[in-house]
Amino acid sequence: MVGRTRRGLATKIMVISDGAGLPLAARIESGPRAEVRCVEDTLASRFTRALPKRLIGDKAYDSNALDARLKKRGIELIAPHNPTHKKTQDGRPLRRYRRRWHVERLIAWLLRMRRVHTRYEVHAANFLGFVQLACIRLLVRYL
């Protein structure tokens, strides 16, 4: 799962967390792949059985197709309005967007691990294993 970019090879870490910032799912994807296309695969690789009720993302997640697919699964997508798409939300659900810093903190926690911050592994499966190990370490520490 290494993708070519203008600056070289890249791997993207996709993480879903709960309200407290603890990881619920982790997955790696190719760097240039759009995050909107990775959401459902990340949901499929979650650590828990239950699906989250809400998914909070940035403007890149504001997609009408993704919103419709998640609604079929019973998940509410909360993302700021992207001007190129049809407006699907009012301001009330967007108040939850202020808590997105929990996800950013989780990513910062994961990137404190040296093997996750700098990808030394050649094989994607080994790197994914270290990402999941870092998530387990966080869960054990904070639960």
Side-chain angles (χ1 to χ4, degrees):
M1 300 251 178
V2 177
R4 289 232 173 250
T5 63
R6 285 181 263 156
R7 298 182 70 194
L9 302 176
T11 302
K12 188 179 292 188
I13 300 173
M14 298 290 296
V15 180
I16 295 177
S17 74
D18 65 354
L22 296 174
L24 294 179
R27 184 174 171 85
I28 61 170
E29 291 291 337
S30 177
R33 189 166 180 211
E35 293 178 11
V36 172
R37 298 174 189 254
C38 306
V39 171
E40 292 170 306
D41 294 336
T42 307
L43 280 172
S45 65
R46 65 190 180 277
F47 306 137
T48 60
R49 289 187 186 183
L51 284 170
K53 294 178 182 158
R54 291 176 209 90
L55 213 78
I56 299 174
D58 55 5
K59 278 187 182 180
Y61 288 87
D62 184 30
S63 165
N64 297 333
L66 177 65
D67 196 20
R69 288 192 306 261
L70 290 177
K71 269 189 183 164
K72 285 181 185 175
R73 297 176 82 174
I75 302 171
E76 177 188 7
L77 178 66
I78 299 172
H81 177 63
N82 188 344
T84 60
H85 297 110
K86 183 179 85 175
K87 193 168 187 175
T88 57
Q89 300 178 29
D90 59 357
R92 287 174 289 174
L94 286 176
R95 290 185 201 135
R96 295 183 187 274
Y97 184 75
R98 288 182 283 175
R99 296 188 207 137
R100 192 174 175 281
W101 68 272
H102 291 287
V103 178
E104 300 297 336
R105 182 183 62 186
L106 170 63
I107 293 170
W109 281 345
L110 287 176
L111 292 180
R112 279 193 324 203
M113 316 312 179
R114 182 174 158 195
R115 298 290 274 203
V116 175
H117 185 271
T118 305
R119 181 178 166 173
Y120 295 109
E121 288 73 33
V122 175
H123 300 288
N126 293 343
F127 181 63
L128 177 61
F130 278 112
V131 170
Q132 290 173 341
L133 187 64
C135 289
I136 291 169
R137 183 179 172 201
L138 289 172
L139 285 171
V140 168
R141 180 182 292 170
Y142 291 98
L143 287 181

